[in-house]
Amino acid sequence: MRSVYDAVIIGAGPAGATAAALLAAARWSVAVVERSQFPRAKVCGEFVSGTNLPLLERLGILDEFMDQAGPPIRRVGLFGEGPARPPEAQMPRSSDVEESWGRALSRAQLDTMLLARAAALGAVIWQPWSVIKLERQHDEFVCVAGSASGRESVELRGRLVLAAHGSWETGPLPSQLRRQPVRPTDLFGFKARFRNARLPEDLMPLLVFPGGYGGMVTADAGCVSLSCCVRRETLERIRSGCGTGTAPAASAVLAHIRSACREVDQALAGAHLEGNWKSAGPIRPGIRQSPLEGLFLLGNAAGEAHPIVAEGITMAMQSAWLLCRRLIAAGPGSRKTLCGLHLQEDYQRAWRRCFGPRLRAAAWCAQLALRPASARASQAVLRAFPSLLGWGARWSGKASAIVPARDL
């Protein structure tokens, strides 16, 4: 088996697997190192914007995605506090994409689908293996990966490294975040799927409740996915309010949301949990720069928006496309050639241009939702002018076709 590759990709989520498939299709030699065994569940809203459909077609999995994903999401709404009728608006559509309604698909299925496509195109998959050491030696990177059992290791060399390992977990790699001090305002993510929920299948509501925000969407197999973010201080308070102070975090969060949002309580009446709750965090929104020349950041490792805009999967896959179209144009030659083309700086500028507005929109919406006074005021405004929900969805990128159909 080859040990020197044109690119080594760390992480096989939507960003890493998309990059692997695009590069392998262009006849690059690619190794992907993924520490989890698929299929696996992730804390994720599961929604994929309609603007991503051209990219799924380019990858050759659009038909498979459409067969497995949930129904088209045509409306966006708001489930908040108070007895008033929840506002809703039409989901915006892209003028560049013919079939531009977004859909939801579990990460267990989506990640498996994307990685299988990358493998079919020739990418070499190391799974479940973890990169435990990464350093640059001369004109290449040396990645030391260890097996899940800890009894085996392998050295992979790559002219380039693409870090697509997410941002929620700290680690020793130069592309990973270091441990941050604990803050009361830290956000923790929770996610669960429910069967027999009574949510209109074409509606994706934003949930606003004291100390957090979230969303619901009908995904594959008729399951409703509920994902949310909760402040650390709120989580501690609602857990202690359950009696002994040791109530499971997920059950305390669900009870808190159902008590605050009447529509959520009604939608989940009679529903039952499928599988277990998942949690992760703390979430660190923001843009991150690569610390090394030739080390490219993808997905949440490159930048993370507040999940309130439900653009995580879409941004991850589109960031892979933004980078890979540049890498493929430059060719799998030496890093010196790539750096001479200022490719890294060009990619980072393109990333900020395409996703910066989404990050700003997400941060603004999150601040409105997390502050009690502004949350109440914004809910009143949205009930009076529900069309603003559609405008907000457009501002968050749901009508911006980053991958033009003409590039297929």
Side-chain angles (χ1 to χ4, degrees), residues 56-366:
L56 291 170
E57 185 174 358
R58 183 186 182 96
L59 294 170
I61 59 171
L62 178 59
D63 290 342
E64 185 180 2
F65 173 84
M66 299 293 274
D67 287 342
Q68 295 187 22
I73 304 301
R74 295 183 169 89
R75 296 180 293 155
V76 60
L78 173 69
F79 289 176
E81 298 180 84
R85 181 179 178 179
E88 62 180 55
Q90 187 82 0
M91 182 71 79
R93 303 184 67 178
S94 171
S95 59
D96 297 329
V97 182
E98 182 177 352
E99 170 56 63
S100 59
W101 299 117
R103 297 169 185 257
L105 180 64
S106 73
R107 288 290 299 276
Q109 290 182 263
L110 178 63
D111 291 7
T112 302
M113 182 190 304
L114 286 168
L115 189 58
R117 182 57 178 161
L121 290 168
V124 177
I125 314 299
W126 294 83
Q127 186 184 38
W129 287 64
S130 300
V131 174
I132 55 181
K133 184 179 180 181
L134 173 64
E135 62 182 11
R136 191 171 64 192
Q137 294 182 1
H138 307 295
D139 287 337
E140 64 183 10
F141 286 90
V142 177
C143 303
V144 178
S147 65
S149 66
R151 292 191 291 268
E152 299 175 88
S153 65
V154 64
E155 184 178 277
L156 306 173
R157 293 178 176 266
R159 297 182 178 91
L160 302 172
V161 170
L162 280 56
H165 45 56
S167 65
W168 292 359
E169 296 179 5
T170 59
L173 306 182
S175 54
Q176 290 180 309
L177 295 176
R178 299 297 175 259
R179 187 174 296 276
Q180 303 291 316
V182 172
R183 299 177 299 188
T185 56
D186 284 338
L187 284 173
F188 289 87
F190 294 86
K191 181 267 189 75
R193 287 164 59 93
F194 296 88
R195 287 196 177 274
N196 300 324
R198 294 185 293 179
L199 178 73
E201 67 173 20
D202 67 335
L203 175 67
M204 184 168 69
L206 168 66
L207 316 181
V208 178
F209 52 89
Y213 59 78
M216 299 176 74
V217 67
T218 302
D220 49 287
C223 289
V224 167
S225 173
L226 186 155
S227 56
C228 63
C229 290
V230 183
R231 285 180 184 250
R232 183 192 297 273
E233 57 191 0
T234 301
L235 183 60
E236 293 173 352
R237 177 176 57 80
I238 61 179
R239 291 185 72 184
S240 63
C242 290
T244 63
T246 59
S251 60
V253 168
L254 181 59
H256 178 63
I257 295 173
R258 295 185 69 165
S259 67
C261 302
R262 179 190 61 178
E263 291 79 15
V264 176
D265 186 56
Q266 293 174 344
L268 296 182
H272 60 270
L273 182 67
E274 182 186 71
N276 299 316
W277 279 88
K278 300 294 179 183
S279 62
I283 299 169
R284 305 289 189 190
I287 300 175
R288 289 170 271 277
Q289 298 293 323
S290 172
L292 294 174
E293 195 175 274
L295 172 62
F296 295 87
L297 308 184
L298 298 176
N300 283 357
E304 185 173 9
H306 275 274
I308 195 168
V309 295
E311 282 290 287
I313 296 175
T314 302
M315 287 176 56
M317 296 182 65
Q318 291 178 357
S319 72
W321 180 81
L322 282 176
L323 174 60
C324 290
R325 68 180 299 206
R326 289 163 169 79
L327 291 176
I328 293 167
S334 69
R335 284 196 319 104
K336 290 182 179 179
T337 301
L338 295 175
C339 294
L341 295 172
H342 305 291
L343 187 145
Q344 197 150 4
E345 293 83 356
D346 180 47
Y347 163 64
Q348 291 172 349
R349 284 194 300 269
W351 197 103
R352 290 191 294 269
R353 184 175 63 252
C354 293
F355 304 126
R358 302 188 201 190
L359 267 70
R360 291 190 289 273
W364 183 73
C365 292

